[in-house]
Amino acid sequence: MCGIVGVIGRQDATQVLLKGLEKLEYRGYDSAGLYVNDQQGHDHLVRRVGRIAALEAAITPAVTGTMGIGHTRWATNGKPTEANAHPQRSSDDRFYLVHNGVITNAQALAAQYLPAVTLASDTDTEVLVQLVAAFVQSGTATVAAFKQALSLCEGSYACCLVDRLDPSHLYVGKNKSPLLIGQGDGFHVVASDALAMLDLTDQFIELKDGEVVTLTATTCRIETLAGEQRLREPITVTITDGAADKGPYPYYMLKEINEQPAVMRRLVTAYAPDAAAPVVDPALLKLLAAADRLYIVAAGTSYHAGLVGKPLFERLANVPTEVHLASEFGYHQPLLSAHPVFIFLSQSGETADSRQVLVAIQKQGFKSLTITNVATSTLAREADFALGLHAGPEIAVASTKAYTAQIAVEALLATALGQAKRVPAAASFDVAHQLSLAAAGQQAVLDATDRIHALATAMFEDTRDAFFIGRGVDHAVSLEAALKLKEISYVQAEGFAAGELKHGTIALITPGTPVTAFISDPVTAAHTRSNAQEVEARGGHVLRVATQSLAQPGDDLVVADLDAALTPLVTIVVGQLLAYFTSFDRGYDVDRPRNLAKSVTVE
Ligand code: F6R
């Protein structure tokens, strides 16, 4: 989604901003821009539709500065045009602003406070910068005008403002959208994601909602919108910049798919170092043990990981578990049990849909745990407990290693909880061994990459539609495999509970329609095979993926056995590779599919 960078106190501000924006490219965007000022009376605004490369090409040697702001925009209010790209400026050309988030009352604010201003863009961001200018014109100082404007805004924002009449300062504001201040020797940087500035500093100050920061090259004043000063030490962000490199792989997605066995082993080391029982904060286990029901709340791929987690918590920890889409739960809250505990699954820890549920349930006094890949994220900070995914930075928009890491952490947590509650099923469950089997099984699938590439070509080369079927956890995997295929290859793909096909969807099967059947559940394997035959009887082209103990002659791919609840850790790797090669063969930008953003910070 949109990305923000800012810098003050560096001779090479243009390069700092450009490099920072490149690091944020993975989040998804459709235009980019920057503003730099040399603090000696010269400044430049450059904005372009499309890739950072287009912005870079438009930057002449004259575009230099010692401070500035930059932005990648993922269009929400208004189309991706140069006029709508950020930085946005005020009509008097005094203020420049970059902004992430959505100001939901922008139209009302424009009508009330800016009746005489002709807006040059369709953006809510312009309304904000025009408001600052209007308040300054009526005699208010810049920082006070900035606070006044922000306190009128409803919705979400992370923003960075420049006053051209005083380029020795940068002004920063945050509410609901993430933003960090980085500290260096004689300079400050601003970033919506620490990754953008990691090659300049690892010292970052986290901002809280409703805070405003005034930065110079060497000073940083944090205050609330009400003017109360806040003192905060920086934290050290430990991810290395190198962890975010592609290495020998053509795309991050392929690298991240290949990292999964290592992530499984890392999780065993992190959570079950002596391979006996997983080690989890006793206070968290106490909270979960007191729950009469768990509510897993998530979006997209993380929701699919939640679907796999439900039977794990029910079987190993003997606690009823519901899985909810965050975007639905927030506005149609179901009837809750008497003692619910909420588990938020989120790779980024920034998903706005999930965060609004967290805020809502906290208001009702309920406790929560966030399972996330980003320890410093909003959901990790704001929940009562947080557990890490230890997957390393996930850069490709399509989530892969975070999905399997989420399932593994759910298994570790369910086992720890079940053991704490003395649930017999957990006592005999060797989760560390199962995750080791998963790592080996994933590696075996990765070793069959060429075969899977050939199958992807045979199945999906020219197709517009595809179906994935399975029962139980294989159904959950079907949903995720279909999401992977549709998001990066634009094939109309659907995941179905295999038994549901005959209730309607089978009408869509025509000669050659590709249907992938996952068969890893001993209870329903025979039924899923029958459903696959029904598809074949109508001319459908079936690819069967079965676990070793359930395999039959003619199955296309046979994967390793492991506990039936954890087979998604292995079978999904097939789905991920099928999607990857379909997108790759069609010549698409696998890591940056159209219209999508990595971190979805708007509802
Ligand atoms: C799909 C994908 C998305 C995310 C979803 C939630 O590959 O990545 O569906 O899973 O946007 O994001 P997080 O997990 O960051 O909350």
Side-chain angles (χ1 to χ4, degrees):
M1 212 136 256
C2 304
I4 285 182
V5 288
V7 62
I8 187 156
R10 294 275 305 205
Q11 293 297 332
D12 55 349
T14 307
Q15 288 314 313
V16 168
L17 296 175
L18 278 175
K19 275 196 195 143
L21 290 178
E22 276 166 11
K23 296 264 167 62
L24 295 181
E25 278 198 292
Y26 77 95
R27 294 165 66 97
Y29 66 102
D30 31 47
S31 61
L34 60 76
Y35 167 87
V36 283
N37 189 311
D38 69 0
Q39 294 175 286
Q40 289 173 6
H42 309 104
D43 61 353
H44 307 267
L45 172 70
V46 188
R47 300 182 297 188
R48 285 292 180 274
V49 173
R51 297 292 184 206
I52 308 277
L55 178 71
E56 220 164 342
I59 286 175
T60 61
V63 182
T64 57
T66 51
M67 65 92 74
I69 52 180
H71 193 260
T72 45
R73 174 172 185 260
W74 187 82
T76 50
N77 287 25
K79 291 188 172 153
T81 61
E82 205 165 300
N84 288 337
H86 300 200
Q88 287 288 311
R89 59 180 151 184
S90 57
S91 306
D92 62 5
D93 209 19
R94 176 166 169 180
F95 295 99
Y96 286 70
L97 182 81
V98 289
H99 160 232
N100 288 355
V102 177
I103 299 166
T104 48
N105 62 339
Q107 273 188 344
L109 290 175
Q112 186 174 349
Y113 294 97
L114 307 168
V117 175
T118 308
L119 296 173
S121 77
D122 307 317
T123 65
D124 47 346
T125 307
E126 188 191 351
V127 173
L128 178 54
V129 74
Q130 298 279 19
L131 276 180
V132 175
F135 296 149
V136 167
Q137 279 158 22
S138 63
T140 312
T142 296
V143 69
F146 188 40
K147 285 193 282 185
Q148 188 181 351
L150 291 178
S151 53
L152 293 171
C153 290
E154 289 167 12
S156 56
Y157 58 77
C159 54
C160 194
L161 175 80
V162 176
D163 176 354
R164 289 179 73 217
L165 295 189
D166 180 10
S168 62
H169 288 87
L170 264 183
Y171 306 96
V172 171
K174 174 201 150 36
N175 188 45
K176 296 187 185 169
S177 296
L179 203 60
L180 297 162
I181 306 290
Q183 288 188 330
D185 190 8
F187 67 90
H188 278 110
V189 289
V190 181
S192 49
D193 183 332
L195 267 184
M197 293 296 173
L198 267 181
D199 48 359
L200 295 183
T201 181
D202 62 357
Q203 298 297 302
F204 288 90
I205 297 177
E206 298 172 303
L207 300 183
K208 302 212 159 98
D209 286 352
E211 288 182 339
V212 170
V213 186
T214 305
L215 287 175
T216 67
T218 53
T219 63
C220 169
R221 180 188 159 85
I222 308 175
E223 59 185 314
T224 63
L225 285 172
E228 248 176 77
Q229 194 174 351
R230 295 271 189 259
L231 299 175
R232 194 163 306 136
E233 289 301 312
I235 53 160
T236 304
V237 173
T238 49
I239 34 172
T240 58
D241 202 18
D245 282 345
K246 270 201 294 257
Y249 297 97
Y251 285 100
Y252 281 108
M253 184 177 175
L254 189 58
K255 172 182 182 245
E256 290 160 6
I257 291 171
N258 274 273
E259 284 171 348
Q260 290 176 109
V263 175
M264 291 299 111
R265 294 190 191 102
R266 207 180 298 149
L267 284 169
V268 172
T269 312
Y271 285 98
D274 64 3
V279 182
V280 175
D281 180 353
L284 170 59
L285 291 181
K286 192 171 167 213
L287 172 74
L288 294 172
D292 62 354
R293 191 169 285 258
L294 300 179
Y295 292 81
I296 297 177
V297 179
T301 287
S302 296
Y303 169 75
H304 295 157
L307 295 176
V308 180
K310 171 185 159 72
L312 287 167
F313 284 107
E314 297 197 328
R315 184 181 112 202
L316 297 173
N318 198 26
V319 53
T321 304
E322 294 181 17
V323 191
H324 289 271
L325 289 168
S327 53
E328 288 294 316
F329 189 101
Y331 299 100
H332 300 99
Q333 182 172 305
L335 192 59
L336 299 178
S337 64
H339 304 290
V341 173
F342 287 80
I343 299 179
F344 292 89
L345 287 183
S346 176
Q347 188 286 129
S348 63
E350 300 295 349
T351 301
D353 288 326
S354 298
R355 195 203 176 217
Q356 55 96 5
V357 178
L358 175 62
V359 171
I361 62 105
Q362 282 182 331
K363 278 193 191 138
Q364 298 166 66
F366 300 129
K367 298 284 186 200
S368 55
L369 158 71
T370 291
I371 298 177
T372 181
N373 203 24
V374 185
T376 54
S377 62
T378 307
L379 286 168
R381 283 200 314 271
E382 295 184 355
D384 299 287
F385 294 92
L387 292 178
L389 293 176
H390 299 271
E394 191 180 69
I395 305 294
V397 163
S399 184
T400 53
K401 60 179 178 172
Y403 168 81
T404 44
Q406 283 169 338
I407 294 170
V409 173
E410 288 175 307
L412 286 156
L413 180 60
T415 308
L417 179 58
Q419 291 179 352
K421 289 171 70 177
R422 299 190 191 286
V423 177
S428 57
F429 191 69
D430 187 345
V431 65
H433 177 61
Q434 288 298 328
L435 295 182
S436 303
L437 289 179
Q442 291 172 338
Q443 192 55 56
V445 173
L446 293 168
D447 292 343
T449 291
D450 290 346
R451 164 131 182 79
I452 297 173
H453 189 167
L455 286 168
T457 308
M459 291 286 286
F460 305 120
E461 192 173 24
D462 306 313
T463 193
R464 272 199 67 236
D465 314 299
F467 297 94
F468 293 82
I469 61 169
R471 294 173 181 236
V473 288
D474 293 329
H475 172 218
V477 166
S478 298
L479 295 174
E480 174 58 9
L483 179 60
K484 286 289 88 84
L485 186 64
K486 70 183 122 185
E487 68 183 322
I488 60 170
S489 73
Y490 318 135
V491 169
Q492 163 68 42
E494 295 303 333
F496 279 98
E500 280 295 291
L501 266 188
K502 60 186 176 295
H503 295 293
T505 313
I506 202 161
L508 295 173
I509 304 296
T510 55
T513 305
V515 178
T516 302
F518 291 105
I519 306 164
S520 79
D521 174 19
V523 181
T524 56
H527 290 93
T528 303
R529 285 193 184 279
S530 300
N531 299 137
Q533 278 163 3
E534 288 154 16
V535 167
E536 275 173 333
R538 276 126 194 119
H541 181 181
V542 177
L543 187 157
R544 289 178 179 78
V545 182
T547 44
Q548 182 85 53
S549 56
L550 300 174
Q552 291 188 1
D555 285 345
D556 301 276
L557 281 168
V558 177
V559 302
D561 276 318
L562 68 165
D563 184 275
L566 289 175
T567 55
L569 291 173
V570 176
T571 49
I572 193 55
V573 183
V574 176
Q576 294 167 346
L577 287 171
L578 289 173
Y580 173 82
F581 285 115
T582 305
S583 173
F584 183 85
D585 287 351
R586 290 180 183 216
Y588 296 135
D589 183 342
V590 178
D591 287 338
R592 291 177 296 192
R594 71 182 178 214
N595 304 341
L596 291 179
K598 181 69 183 162
S599 181
V600 185
T601 48
V602 294
E603 281 180 38

